[in-house]
Amino acid sequence: MPHIHIISKLTTSFEAARRSGDLLFFPSTITKHTDSDVEYEIRLCPALQHKAIPPKSITDPEPAYDDRRKDQNPFAPPYNKNLYIGELKDEETQEEFVLLLNKYSVVPQHFLMITKEYKPQTSPLLPSELVQAYSLLLAARESGQRFFAFYNCGKNSGASQAHKHIQFLPIENSEDGPPIEISARKAQITFPDRPFSLNHLSYANHCYRLPSQLHTYGPDQLETVLAQAFLQLLDLAISTIRHDESYPVGSPAYNVILTLEHLHVIPRGKEEHILKETGGKLSVNALGFAGMLLVKSDEELEAVKKESISKILRDVALESVHDIQVDGASHEAPLAGHL
Ligand code: AMP
């Protein structure tokens, strides 16, 4: 199976890429910090202070993809042979994807699934992309590893590259998934095929529990479940955005987090939070909403803890309008609210 093949190459490809110097690895340490009933991981990576940041290519509105942009696109061929892991083709749509190791790696084996043909990072996930991402997570689990996937959609989502890419990160310290997954699991839901919201969080979030036997579904059924779940969550995210009168003009921005058990969509209002303590900018992408923040100094780490992660995430996300969306219906569970 091609997905297993990709996963089985990760360890050796990562080590070889690092040795070659084409992959830069930045060591880090993790501090746990509980806030709003979530045990967040704050990753301190001092080496990032000196990293030459690759130029951002994501813009809104999206200009035409011409030769000049192609030359500046790190995800266009020719691929660096040391970062290249392989390719996948969706059987239904014949769409092709390239798998590359993240060149600037803070977590070993962080890899990207990139559309082979140029597509913008401002576009919603397609059914084929969801199926391929889920199949990679499943292949990882079958080979005894755990990954989750995330997608930063739009300029204010924390994305830096304009060429469409979904990212995959191993779950290092826990069998349970990224920190937010613990909350999603705890949520008591009455209607399993409906989205719900984790109401103890400070920001608007839309979540869907995938069927427990999804790994046994055939390709058509798998695609239907994932596509319908995503469309429902996207509808809700857009509805949340529409309630925000100050929402910036341009394409809507949101983060997507996919595990084998849940799909999360978090609408975004802005990319960066200005830390009260230091005045510095803290960029937040899907990882922040998965419960994993990245800081570059002890000072920044202390500033994040002092200000509270809930406040930071609320600032870069949107206010929940879940109560309006459920139209006053009281389906509230202790941690979750149905729609
Ligand atoms: P995002 O910032 O969410 O758009 O994700 C883009 C990711 O691609 C970042 O994690 C970068 O570290 C990574 N990246 C940037 N340039 C390259 C490259 N040339 N090859 C592989 N990964 C890259």
Side-chain angles (χ1 to χ4, degrees):
M1 202 171 112
H3 301 94
I4 290 275
H5 185 62
I6 299 285
I7 298 292
S8 68
K9 286 173 72 182
L10 283 173
T11 313
T12 44
S13 299
F14 174 79
E15 290 307 335
R18 198 178 160 181
R19 275 197 306 274
S20 76
D22 285 336
L23 185 152
L24 306 174
F25 179 67
F26 303 97
S28 58
T29 49
I30 292 176
T31 301
K32 303 238 177 168
H33 183 72
T34 301
D35 188 323
S36 296
D37 216 22
V38 178
E39 195 180 43
Y40 286 93
E41 287 178 6
I42 312 176
R43 190 180 283 271
L44 170 62
C45 185
L48 286 180
Q49 286 176 49
H50 316 293
K51 170 192 163 192
I53 299 167
K56 280 197 175 200
S57 68
I58 190 161
T59 50
D60 189 19
E62 182 75 12
Y65 188 62
D66 54 16
D67 285 347
R68 191 181 58 82
R69 289 188 66 217
K70 199 182 243 170
D71 289 346
Q72 295 166 355
N73 178 1
F75 299 159
Y79 305 112
N80 178 311
K81 68 174 185 357
N82 290 316
L83 299 178
Y84 179 90
I85 318 166
E87 300 195 11
L88 290 170
K89 189 186 228 172
D90 187 75
E91 290 187 4
E92 181 73 21
T93 60
Q94 301 296 302
E95 268 180 90
E96 293 178 281
F97 303 93
V98 178
L99 287 300
L100 295 185
L101 287 163
N102 188 337
K103 184 174 175 62
Y104 308 96
S105 196
V106 175
V107 179
Q109 299 178 33
H110 179 170
F111 70 96
L112 317 168
M113 184 180 95
I114 298 158
T115 58
K116 204 162 174 189
E117 254 184 47
Y118 179 82
K119 280 190 193 152
Q121 188 75 1
T122 44
S123 63
L125 291 174
L126 296 176
S128 57
E129 293 161 354
L130 288 161
V131 167
Q132 294 307 317
Y134 179 89
S135 303
L136 282 165
L137 300 185
L138 197 56
R141 188 174 70 184
E142 281 163 6
S143 64
Q145 299 173 68
R146 276 192 173 249
F147 279 75
F148 70 99
F150 59 98
Y151 180 58
N152 299 319
C153 184
K155 191 170 164 287
N156 286 329
S157 69
S160 62
Q161 298 303 323
H163 185 143
K164 198 171 194 183
H165 56 284
I166 301 178
Q167 307 188 51
F168 295 81
L169 211 63
I171 297 157
E172 289 183 302
N173 301 317
S174 156
E175 278 286 289
D176 287 326
I180 203 62
E181 189 66 355
I182 321 272
S183 296
R185 274 199 192 151
K186 275 194 216 158
Q188 298 166 16
I189 59 171
T190 338
F191 306 106
D193 53 351
R194 288 198 211 163
F196 59 96
S197 164
L198 298 170
N199 289 340
H200 64 300
L201 301 177
S202 59
Y203 52 87
N205 65 90
H206 306 290
C207 191
Y208 187 95
R209 183 164 295 163
L210 299 169
S212 59
Q213 294 304 308
L214 191 57
H215 60 283
T216 64
Y217 288 20
D220 290 352
Q221 266 184 309
L222 175 64
E223 183 179 301
T224 305
V225 169
L226 291 171
Q228 285 183 359
F230 180 66
L231 281 182
Q232 289 188 69
L233 297 176
L234 189 57
D235 268 358
L236 284 167
I238 301 296
S239 147
T240 301
I241 287 171
R242 285 214 177 109
H243 277 91
D244 185 337
E245 284 172 10
S246 62
Y247 198 78
V249 284
S251 318
Y254 53 89
N255 296 124
V256 182
I257 300 161
L258 174 69
T259 70
L260 286 172
E261 293 165 60
H262 294 96
L263 186 59
H264 306 248
V265 173
I266 300 100
R268 293 291 302 274
K270 56 179 174 174
E271 185 209 336
E272 291 170 333
H273 172 78
I274 309 283
L275 288 166
K276 226 189 233 163
E277 257 332 84
T278 63
K281 290 177 181 166
L282 185 76
S283 175
V284 181
N285 69 14
L287 290 181
F289 292 92
M292 304 158 81
L293 288 110
L294 185 64
V295 294
K296 296 177 187 158
S297 65
D298 283 310
E299 196 192 11
E300 215 174 41
L301 171 64
E302 288 314 311
V304 166
K305 287 199 278 188
K306 195 161 178 199
E307 194 163 344
S308 109
I309 295 177
S310 292
K311 275 196 190 149
I312 293 170
L313 295 182
R314 169 62 194 88
D315 181 48
V316 295
L318 296 184
E319 186 182 353
S320 172
V321 287
H322 180 74
D323 289 349
I324 302 172
Q325 288 169 329
V326 296
D327 205 17
S330 62
H331 298 298
E332 303 287 311
L335 286 180
H338 277 286
L339 207 71

